[in-house]
Amino acid sequence: MSADTILRTDGLTCDFGALRAVNHVSLDVKGGTLHSVIGPNGSGKTTLFNLICGEVRPSAGRVYFEGREVTGRAPHDLPHLGLARCFQRTNVFPKLSVYENVWAAVFARRTPGVLGCVRRAGEFSDVDADARRVLADVGLAARSEARAETLSHGQQRALEVAVALASSPRLLLLDEPTQGLAPEATVQMTKLVQSLVGRYTILLIEHKMRIVMSISDRISVMAFGEVIAEGTPDEVRDNRDVQRAYLGARR
Amino acid sequence: MRRVALIRFVLLVAAIVVLPFCVRPVVASEICIFAIAAMALNLIFGYTGMLSFGQATFFGLAAYTAGLMMIHWHAPLLAVLAAGTLVGGVAAALIGYVCIQRVGTYFIMLTFGFNQMLYFIAYKWTAVTGGDDGLPGIPRPPFAVGPLSISLDSSLRYYGFVAVSFLLAFYAMKRIVDSPLGVIFRAIRENPGRAAAVGYDVKRYKWLAFTIAGAFTGGAGVLYSMMFGIVPLESISWIISGDIVFMVLIGGIGNLYGPLLGAAAFKWLSEAISVVWERWPLILGVALVLVVLFLRGGLVEAFTRVRDIVAGGGPRPEPDEPVSVPDAAESQARP
Ligand SMILES: Nc1ncnc2c1ncn2[C@@H]1O[C@H](COP(=O)(O)OP(=O)(O)O)[C@@H](O)[C@H]1O
Ligand SMILES: [Mg+2]
């Protein structure tokens, strides 16, 4: 493992009954980069995220984050270690305000013990400042008092990302942030992801090839649970296996 | 926002002051006692999203604890209140630890199962609890702090003590839901999976909510034990558990004022109507069906709807709820 590796998976495997959703996946994500995972629907990308984040237990293999093994850690441990994710299907707190959604995620990282809860939520000015900064970052500041469930789909996707950013992660896992977005909202979300490049190490699942090719440092291509190719965007574009398994299959 | 909260609190105190002149002081006391228990259930049900059908466990355990302490040790009022609150909290911590391992219907059945277990212990262990006959002969100690000692013999005086206890419990509960815990509990109610993904140990916070609620319910049980000089077996039965659920639903879940309204409506109905019509529980049944079908926010929602109609204009958002900003803001977020 090289020194600047932030996340490494080693032979990660996951069986759902007879179905092997993820098969011996070994990834090496370097700090400060944007690393994408692409592949057809059902190729195991989301499951890979679930394995990394402790939502699903691997059948075999290990996960190392910043050199430390985190295989099988509970999902609620990971934000404290510096790893946060957003979900493919928007997964926020519908009846809380946009502000509270982000506030809850910021506060989680600095739980002040039971005594801290003697204070009112509004009295934590540092949490408040961080939450407002994140909301401004994703362009939701004007809607911070709205209930999350009243947002448009595009805004909910932005909130989904905001909740992950609120953990101040050192590695950000984004699962198809542009999923289901209209064209102009896709442009908006792509800009948002681009604005995060360099500030965060990002592991991105994305379907839209044009976006992936333009913003990724490295790309891993999955098919049927396996990584069939890995490299820079150019290398992946020229790879015959990829063209057959992924691009070809969609034409 | 702060001023609205203050006005509300003043109105609450005013309502508590006039209550014993609207209904018999004994009924007024019962309303406040059950309002505390309903407030506690509201914390775990309305705020955290777990419906407990076993709150009588903590109510009854604390009532028996208090009764036994007063009968056998002549324990003073505040010591009994503290002990009962502690017993409610500890029992809820032990039982809750098991219950929160499951969610949904299984959680409800676990709380119910523990309630039944303790009911049968109380029923069979007659040497200690008096079984079916209840635990009689409970004195009502004076309120004593240092040299100060106030007799609580009249039902109006006792109401005074209960009312102050209620207001203190209300304030404590308000501070809990206004604290970070309030946000965390509601986040868990809304989406436990995401609450975990942002870093909260969901089970631990559910356990905390359950334990806090048990302590409040225990306090209510102690106040109840001194009402009639007897702890009836009913105080630990599922009927009380059901009544508490009922009060929360009728009053309006997830709102601080709902439980008081629910308890008042419930006890007032049972007092006023049961004398003229012994089948009054039928009305409660009808009310529950109506609330579930048409008025999920209970009496609190009914109140705000009526207020909006009286004030004219369209419905206004509840001040507690996040206000929706008009969609003009949306264009700002787009290029
Ligand atoms: N919890 C689960 N139980 C059973 N099968 C699952 C589960 N999650 C995913 N799968 C299956 O695993 C395969 C990979 O799914 P997924 O990881 O969601 O793919 P992708 O994100 O690449 O579209 C699919 O065939 C899916 O049906
Ligand atoms: Mg997926």
Side-chain angles (χ1 to χ4, degrees):
Chain A
M1 189 191 331
S2 72
D4 58 351
T5 292
I6 185 162
L7 177 82
R8 189 165 68 90
T9 72
D10 186 7
L12 215 46
T13 300
C14 175
D15 295 319
F16 292 120
L19 174 77
R20 178 152 288 192
V22 172
N23 190 8
H24 261 87
V25 168
S26 298
L27 282 184
D28 191 322
V29 180
K30 304 271 187 256
T33 63
L34 190 152
H35 189 128
S36 291
V37 178
I38 62 172
N41 260 329
S43 56
K45 306 180 298 293
T46 297
T47 305
L48 176 65
F49 271 24
N50 286 338
L51 294 171
I52 293 169
C53 292
E55 310 259 353
V56 174
R57 269 191 171 276
S59 316
R62 291 160 190 279
V63 183
Y64 299 89
F65 179 66
E66 295 183 331
R68 182 153 41 148
E69 176 162 8
V70 296
T71 323
R73 291 290 285 263
H76 64 247
D77 284 338
L78 294 170
H80 301 285
L81 297 173
L83 198 152
R85 79 177 290 192
C86 84
F87 291 79
Q88 180 172 0
R89 292 181 48 199
T90 300
N91 189 13
V92 294
F93 308 111
K95 289 206 163 46
L96 301 196
S97 71
V98 168
Y99 172 77
E100 285 174 324
N101 266 270
V102 174
W103 192 96
V106 173
F107 185 80
R109 284 292 308 274
R110 54 193 87 181
T111 311
V114 176
L115 278 184
C117 287
V118 174
R119 291 160 69 197
R120 291 189 171 87
E123 290 169 15
F124 293 82
S125 51
D126 52 335
V127 178
D128 175 72
D130 277 10
R132 294 196 184 282
R133 186 179 45 72
V134 169
L135 283 173
D137 259 10
V138 302
L140 281 176
R143 304 237 43 194
S144 48
E145 296 307 316
R147 276 202 220 191
E149 64 186 357
T150 66
L151 296 183
S152 69
H153 182 61
Q155 291 172 332
Q156 294 208 12
R157 295 305 292 161
L159 178 58
E160 179 70 39
V161 175
V163 171
L165 290 178
S167 300
S168 312
R170 291 188 295 284
L171 174 64
L172 183 61
L173 276 62
L174 301 176
D175 193 345
E176 293 198 41
T178 64
Q179 150 110 355
L181 291 184
E184 79 272 30
T186 304
V187 171
Q188 198 55 29
M189 177 56 78
T190 309
K191 277 191 188 148
L192 172 57
V193 174
Q194 265 166 336
S195 76
L196 304 175
V197 171
R199 293 155 65 199
Y200 297 90
T201 306
I202 300 173
L203 184 58
L204 170 73
I205 295 178
E206 184 49 76
H207 235 73
K208 302 196 169 70
M209 286 302 266
R210 220 163 30 83
I211 301 173
V212 172
M213 289 300 169
S214 65
I215 65 178
S216 306
D217 295 302
R218 282 192 88 72
I219 299 175
S220 298
V221 186
M222 286 185 73
F224 300 107
E226 290 181 51
V227 173
I228 57 166
E230 208 209 290
T232 63
D234 287 335
E235 287 165 6
V236 165
R237 205 190 330 256
D238 297 338
N239 185 302
R240 299 283 298 276
D241 287 343
V242 175
Q243 286 169 359
R244 205 166 18 193
Y246 182 59
L247 302 171
R250 305 190 82 208
R251 290 285 136 83
Chain B
M1 212 59 204
R2 234 12 206 285
R3 236 191 44 230
V4 173
L6 191 67
I7 291 170
R8 282 186 180 186
F9 197 69
V10 169
L11 284 178
L12 175 70
V13 174
I16 293 297
V17 169
V18 299
L19 187 60
F21 305 104
C22 302
V23 295
R24 287 190 299 133
V26 175
V27 178
S29 297
E30 275 198 284
I31 289 174
C32 284
I33 290 170
F34 280 96
I36 296 174
M39 223 157 53
L41 177 66
N42 192 33
L43 182 72
I44 47 181
F45 180 34
Y47 284 87
T48 321
M50 311 181 285
L51 175 54
S52 162
F53 205 84
Q55 290 305 99
T57 311
F58 317 113
F59 192 85
L61 273 179
Y64 280 118
T65 305
L68 292 169
M69 282 174 73
M70 287 185 282
I71 292 170
H72 297 298
W73 302 338
H74 303 286
L77 184 68
L78 294 181
V80 169
L81 196 54
T85 305
L86 187 70
V87 165
V90 171
L94 295 173
I95 290 173
Y97 186 80
V98 178
C99 296
I100 55 123
Q101 305 301 326
R102 294 288 177 271
V103 298
T105 316
Y106 300 102
F107 172 84
I108 301 174
M109 292 317 291
L110 282 171
T111 59
F112 182 60
F114 276 109
N115 195 164
Q116 289 296 75
M117 235 156 73
L118 282 143
Y119 172 81
F120 276 105
I121 292 173
Y123 177 64
K124 288 289 177 197
W125 202 6
T126 47
V128 172
T129 64
D132 215 4
D133 299 332
L135 182 66
I138 297 170
R140 192 186 285 169
F143 175 79
V145 181
L148 180 78
S149 176
I150 304 170
S151 155
L152 299 178
D153 280 343
S154 83
S155 52
L156 191 59
R157 284 184 174 205
Y158 189 60
Y159 173 74
F161 178 70
V162 170
V164 170
S165 307
F166 167 78
L167 287 173
L168 289 175
F170 182 90
Y171 181 72
M173 190 58 84
K174 178 160 170 48
R175 286 305 297 256
I176 291 169
V177 302
D178 284 349
S179 82
L181 286 178
V183 182
I184 298 168
F185 290 159
R186 283 183 294 131
I188 289 173
R189 175 194 72 198
E190 288 295 307
N191 189 344
R194 188 59 189 254
V198 301
Y200 293 112
D201 185 341
V202 169
K203 278 186 181 171
R204 188 196 290 180
Y205 283 98
K206 283 182 171 179
W207 190 32
L208 181 62
F210 200 89
T211 303
I212 294 172
F216 277 82
T217 311
V222 174
L223 295 173
Y224 188 72
S225 73
M226 286 178 273
M227 283 281 301
F228 307 109
I230 180 170
V231 177
L233 180 63
E234 191 204 30
S235 65
I236 199 165
S237 80
W238 66 272
I239 296 174
I240 294 280
S241 298
D243 287 353
I244 295 171
V245 172
F246 197 93
M247 292 171 197
V248 173
L249 282 173
I250 290 280
I253 59 171
N255 181 295
L256 265 180
Y257 294 83
L260 177 63
L261 289 178
F266 186 95
K267 285 294 166 188
W268 177 77
L269 275 179
S270 65
E271 159 84 359
I273 302 180
S274 63
V275 287
V276 288
W277 192 40
E278 65 180 22
R279 300 203 176 85
W280 67 276
L282 200 63
I283 296 185
L284 292 178
V286 172
L288 185 61
V289 170
L290 289 178
V291 162
V292 170
L293 286 180
F294 303 114
L295 205 67
R296 289 285 174 77
L299 287 172
V300 171
E301 189 186 328
F303 173 77
T304 46
R305 282 199 198 170
V306 169
R307 186 193 62 191
D308 293 340
I309 291 167
V310 170
R316 277 182 303 181
E318 253 290 273
D320 266 353
E321 313 256 357
V323 183
S324 290
V325 181
D327 258 18
E330 201 157 333
S331 51
Q332 227 172 302
R334 299 271 161 82

